[in-house]
Amino acid sequence: MTQPGTYTGAQLIWESLIREGVDTVFGYPGGAILPTYDAMTEYTIRHVLVRHEQSAAHMADGYARASGRVGVVVATSGPGATNLVTGLATAMLDSTPLVAITGQVGSALLGTDAFQEVDITGITIPVTKHNYLVTRAEDIVPAIREAFAVARSGRPGPVLVDITKDAQQSRATLDWEAAVPQRHLRHLPAPLDPSVLAQALDLIRQAKRPIILAGHGIQLSGARAEVLALAERADIPLALTLLGLGAVPATHPLSLGMMGMHGEAWVNRAIQEADLLLAFGMRFDDRVTGKLKEYAPHAKKIHIDIDASELNKNVPVDVAIVADLGDVLRALLPEVPVADRSSWLGTIREWRGDSAVRDIKNLPDDGHLYAAHVMHDLWRLTKGEAVVVTDVGQHQMWEAQYYKHDGERSLITSGGAGTMGFALPAAIGAKIARPEAEVWVVAGDGGFQMTFAELMTAVQEGVKVNIAVINNGYLGMVRQWQALFYEGRYAATPILSPDFVKLADAFGIHGQRVETRGDVAAAVVQARAAGGTALIEFKVEQEDSVYPMVPAGAALHEMIRRPSALAETGSDPV
Amino acid sequence: MPHVLVVYTDDEPGVLTRVASLFRRRSFNIHSLTVGPTERVGLSRMTIVVDSDAPRVRQAVEHLRKLVNVLEVQQLGERPMVVRDLVLVRVATAPEVRSEVLQLAQVFRAAVVDIAEDSLVIECTGSLAKIDALVDSMRPFGILELGRTGAVAMARGTRTPSPSRPAVPLRTGAGPEAMSV
């Protein structure tokens, strides 16, 4: 019997999502979520049917990272829910706001090992900011509303709401205002402490060789203008983390480029020689610090992050500020003295020398195609304006080195988790979030084979992404480690691929293969012009490695450079 | 070195798992964890004793503070505190030693809460050291069974008020039959 003024739990889910401003969900139906899918037909909301739930989470992740909105995933109980786990972990480590809604068996069956029953709230505790097991229709709206608030607030992240089938089927009233969330406010940072800001200003005033470490938090905080204003006013160069790429324009005169394991040598050297680090929304991950004991030994350190647990975690700092970065910089800016650090900037320029172009210039002119060529040409041909979504491995690092990201949210990549298979689904999500953007997938032959079933999702949804598969016939980054650290024993790294052109054909999309540098540009032009999703397979040099490289556990200045035997044969392909 | 933490949480299913999970992930050994209701409905209070170095404990505290269900974390040990543990110990008491055991229990101001033909159950509350001493003194007679609550701790001096709950408690979970945490 339908009571007036009440809704089914399934309807309440959609009512809540629409009130939270959701226009698209990524999902896969199944038994325990069926009432919710049935109710979906009453609402104007786009549902993207994925081919695997892991991809749904990555799509929502790409959607969120491209737009700054919350990405939403829907999946059924049991395997539907467990398939989300990798995607949730990816979002957790890279601070992406997601809300995952999963169906659960009826509440009377909880704990009985019923068909497709899995304790997904238990499983996802470490990979979500918070999760909910909802067993009553009247709890759905408060849980979803709070889930969005938690996902967005502070350091963003994924939240899972597991809703039993009977909760979806039973009825409750909708009182949106009574469900206003409050608990996410428990952990907001304290107001800025003027004495701590004064300490930071003192360090900035005294510094001769300061450097800003620009992280993902800049984009999450929306603090690009403030960061640039501070850098320009105090004449401080910027070194970027992988997820910081795009936070400030790569072509800005103060932007040095990427730091860390595959960062530029002069950037790492600048960090090692600096007398002040200003860490903005970054977390001193082991991939950017190298050996902690020898990290930036001469530098005082100011660390600003919204997550208190990141402060003094890996690197002890002199001034730790828990706050939204933009708020801190707006408070600091008027007090920051105008400075001219041309001598420090000149020193870095000397270290840089010609090495900015040296690596790509020095690639051997042996007729082989190198991934660096592809990235460089892709950057040139798209004028650096594309949103590039990368997978994980060598191609990811080459992209980071050779594609100069000027725009915010223009690089989407799995940094913290390093999740292979991320690129294609995340790119589909990014394109749906920003249909006007040109979206490129850059993936390796290994990672692409993990999730390429989503090509069909792109086709079904009419989504155009351009795909560059960098095929070197190896799980390249692992092969590189085997070459450098395991005496060249290539255990399980050679990998066969299907004929990607035929594969593209089977999916009904444009496909082509490129094996020489001269064909790169034409292929990119054709892929862009193709009506729908287009795939280019780039058959690149098989045993190329990413340089420079700080071996894991080495100090940041102990970099392996490209072997000179290669470097001496270079022509000038740039 | 043992660190004593007091954690105020929502009284909700799953909260204990979330808290314990933070310590498990970092390979902390929890020395003891006690939890119970407070003077406010819907608010639980945990006393957690962990053995680790100070920076790692500080990290764990910051992570506890990020849990949605956690209202407040106090790290005691930075100030004077009262720590109490309760033990129930069943001691073998052959007729010739029974009076000696009773005398010892008196010294510790422990109560005898059960008497059987060949054993006594002694209850004692006190500092961790006092309980350890009581247990040691009973050991020669033969300890048949022993249960300790783990520490409950409170800072000395001015009362720190319990954090207040938000006006709208969110009810999620397995229903009223579920355990309180």
Side-chain angles (χ1 to χ4, degrees):
Chain A
M1 294 297 263
T2 304
Q3 297 158 321
T6 65
Y7 297 77
T8 65
Q11 290 172 319
L12 290 172
I13 292 172
W14 297 112
E15 294 284 343
S16 303
L17 294 180
I18 285 168
R19 281 172 173 75
E20 288 292 348
V22 175
D23 56 16
T24 307
V25 301
F26 303 89
Y28 206 101
I33 195 71
L34 204 40
T36 296
Y37 272 87
D38 188 49
M40 183 174 77
T41 55
E42 303 162 31
Y43 294 89
T44 318
I45 204 157
R46 180 175 184 181
H47 179 273
V48 176
L49 176 68
V50 297
R51 296 303 183 270
H52 189 287
E53 290 88 350
Q54 179 185 337
S55 295
H58 293 329
M59 279 183 208
D61 193 330
Y63 176 96
R65 293 199 210 195
S67 65
R69 300 196 289 270
V70 178
V72 180
V73 187
V74 182
T76 194
S77 64
T82 56
N83 279 346
L84 296 177
V85 171
T86 301
L88 294 172
T90 305
M92 185 74 174
L93 280 159
D94 286 349
S95 313
T96 302
L98 289 194
V99 170
I101 291 171
T102 49
Q104 181 57 280
V105 301
S107 56
L109 295 172
L110 284 172
T112 66
D113 292 340
F115 177 66
Q116 291 194 331
E117 185 201 358
V118 160
D119 173 17
I120 196 63
T121 46
I123 287 172
T124 56
I125 283 175
V127 294
T128 55
K129 282 186 80 176
H130 192 57
N131 61 27
Y132 304 82
L133 173 60
V134 180
T135 58
R136 305 186 305 177
E138 58 264 42
D139 295 332
I140 288 175
V141 172
I144 292 181
R145 227 186 141 173
E146 189 177 271
F148 274 83
V150 170
R152 287 188 189 110
S153 64
R155 178 177 177 178
V159 180
L160 181 135
V161 187
D162 195 30
I163 306 174
T164 59
K165 193 167 186 180
D166 54 318
Q168 297 168 51
Q169 289 166 322
S170 54
R171 303 188 74 87
T173 53
L174 170 57
D175 190 347
W176 186 251
E177 290 317 312
V180 59
Q182 300 189 21
R183 299 195 298 184
H184 67 293
L185 302 172
R186 288 172 174 171
H187 305 294
L188 293 190
L192 294 176
D193 178 348
S195 71
V196 176
L197 295 184
Q199 289 170 29
L201 284 167
D202 272 348
L203 291 182
I204 295 171
R205 277 193 207 100
Q206 290 159 18
K208 300 273 187 293
R209 301 186 307 281
I211 186 166
I212 292 170
L213 308 180
H216 191 32
I218 296 172
Q219 297 189 62
L220 293 173
S221 165
R224 168 189 267 219
E226 289 83 353
V227 170
L228 287 176
L230 184 135
E232 287 164 8
R233 190 177 165 92
D235 210 16
I236 302 177
L238 298 132
L240 280 67
T241 67
L242 175 64
L243 291 190
L245 297 178
V248 294
T251 50
H252 189 282
L254 286 168
S255 174
L256 299 181
M258 189 168 72
M259 65 177 95
M261 180 175 273
H262 292 295
E264 306 293 358
W266 70 86
V267 180
N268 287 339
R269 184 161 181 194
I271 291 168
Q272 292 301 78
E273 301 283 333
D275 66 357
L276 176 65
L277 303 185
L278 298 113
F280 291 171
M282 56 84 73
R283 59 189 179 90
F284 292 107
D285 179 78
D286 56 82
R287 286 298 189 263
V288 307
T289 62
K291 192 187 218 170
L292 284 170
K293 276 197 180 131
E294 295 177 36
Y295 180 69
H298 315 294
K300 300 272 187 189
K301 297 165 186 90
I302 300 170
H303 192 179
I304 305 171
D305 201 287
I306 198 151
D307 182 351
S309 69
E310 291 296 350
L311 301 168
N312 291 304
K313 182 178 81 175
N314 297 335
V315 173
V317 299
D318 301 277
V319 177
I321 303 177
V322 183
D324 175 76
L325 179 63
D327 290 346
V328 181
L329 296 184
R330 281 185 289 276
L332 285 178
L333 261 173
E335 311 292 328
V336 171
V338 175
D340 173 4
R341 296 186 213 275
S342 45
S343 108
W344 167 231
L345 294 171
T347 305
I348 298 173
R349 209 171 297 118
E350 271 171 40
W351 292 335
R352 180 175 190 155
D354 64 345
S355 60
V357 290
R358 189 167 60 208
D359 271 350
I360 196 162
K361 271 186 179 171
N362 289 346
L363 289 170
D365 187 15
D366 51 10
H368 293 200
L369 181 63
Y370 284 82
H373 293 146
V374 179
M375 305 306 166
H376 183 80
D377 290 352
L378 196 57
W379 168 62
R380 221 167 23 89
L381 293 162
T382 59
K383 301 190 177 72
E385 290 168 358
V387 172
V388 184
V389 186
T390 71
D391 221 77
V392 172
Q394 287 184 316
H395 69 276
Q396 180 188 31
M397 293 298 112
W398 280 315
E399 197 281 346
Q401 292 176 339
Y402 294 109
Y403 197 104
K404 308 294 176 201
H405 288 276
D406 283 339
E408 286 187 275
R409 301 182 181 278
S410 66
L411 170 62
I412 295 173
T413 191
S414 170
T419 304
M420 288 175 68
F422 174 80
L424 176 61
I428 293 170
K431 180 68 179 180
I432 288 171
R434 280 163 61 184
E436 77 295 347
E438 176 178 356
V439 176
W440 275 86
V441 171
V442 173
D445 43 330
F448 188 69
Q449 289 189 67
M450 285 192 173
T451 52
F452 71 59
E454 302 306 331
L455 286 172
M456 211 59 231
T457 306
V459 172
Q460 185 166 350
E461 289 294 320
V463 169
K464 174 173 175 55
V465 293
N466 301 314
I467 301 162
V469 177
I470 309 300
N471 184 358
N472 58 7
Y474 282 104
L475 302 176
M477 186 60 92
V478 181
R479 185 209 58 75
Q480 175 171 343
W481 282 53
Q482 288 170 331
L484 290 170
F485 312 119
Y486 293 87
E487 298 169 348
R489 290 183 295 276
Y490 292 169
T493 42
I495 182 169
L496 288 181
S497 287
D499 181 328
F500 284 114
V501 176
K502 283 186 181 162
L503 186 83
D505 193 42
F507 281 101
I509 62 170
H510 171 86
Q512 65 193 110
R513 182 175 298 117
V514 172
E515 305 191 42
T516 59
R517 174 106 200 253
D519 294 336
V520 173
V524 168
V525 169
Q526 283 179 46
R528 297 171 85 186
T533 284
L535 184 157
I536 312 171
E537 174 193 12
F538 293 98
K539 303 243 339 166
V540 298
E541 170 64 32
Q542 288 202 288
E543 299 201 19
D544 192 15
S545 290
V546 182
Y547 298 105
M549 178 182 191
V550 181
L556 211 48
H557 54 274
E558 295 168 357
M559 303 199 80
I560 303 174
R561 305 304 303 268
R562 181 173 286 281
S564 55
L566 285 181
E568 280 160 12
T569 57
S571 64
D572 186 2
V574 178
Chain B
M1 174 196 164
H3 291 259
V4 182
L5 309 177
V6 171
V7 184
Y8 287 93
T9 71
D10 295 319
D11 180 4
E12 247 182 50
V15 175
L16 181 60
T17 308
R18 294 177 199 281
V19 169
S21 175
L22 282 183
F23 292 100
R24 179 198 56 76
R25 179 179 170 192
R26 293 169 178 77
S27 299
F28 277 46
N29 192 20
I30 296 178
H31 188 270
S32 74
L33 189 157
T34 64
V35 56
T38 62
E39 77 280 14
R40 290 182 202 224
V41 176
L43 184 70
S44 297
R45 185 182 190 277
M46 296 181 186
T47 302
I48 307 173
V49 181
V50 289
D51 218 354
S52 189
D53 54 74
R56 279 164 46 80
V57 171
R58 203 196 63 83
Q59 270 302 310
V61 167
E62 292 301 346
H63 280 273
L64 283 171
R65 288 189 174 131
K66 286 164 70 173
L67 293 180
V68 169
N69 293 118
V70 169
L71 286 85
E72 189 184 321
V73 186
Q74 300 169 359
Q75 200 170 345
L76 301 186
E78 294 162 355
R79 46 189 160 158
M81 59 179 153
V82 186
V83 183
R84 289 293 177 267
D85 195 1
L86 182 147
V87 69
L88 292 177
V89 55
R90 190 189 306 278
V91 185
T93 48
E96 62 272 22
V97 300
R98 177 169 289 203
S99 62
E100 194 183 339
V101 170
L102 286 169
Q103 273 181 355
L104 272 171
Q106 245 176 5
V107 170
F108 285 95
R109 293 184 197 166
V112 174
V113 292
D114 188 48
I115 300 183
E117 213 168 285
D118 54 356
S119 66
L120 296 174
V121 176
I122 294 170
E123 173 199 315
C124 185
T125 307
S127 67
L128 302 179
K130 176 184 167 183
I131 302 298
D132 288 344
L134 171 77
V135 171
D136 284 345
S137 71
M138 294 299 164
R139 217 177 285 281
F141 305 102
I143 293 175
L144 303 174
E145 190 178 351
L146 185 147
R148 287 173 77 153
T149 56
V152 176
M154 199 172 274
R156 290 185 186 273
T158 315
R159 181 180 172 278
T160 321
S162 308
S164 55
R165 295 256 304 162
V168 188
L170 179 63
R171 293 162 309 166
T172 56
E177 74 283 4
M179 287 175 57
S180 67
V181 282

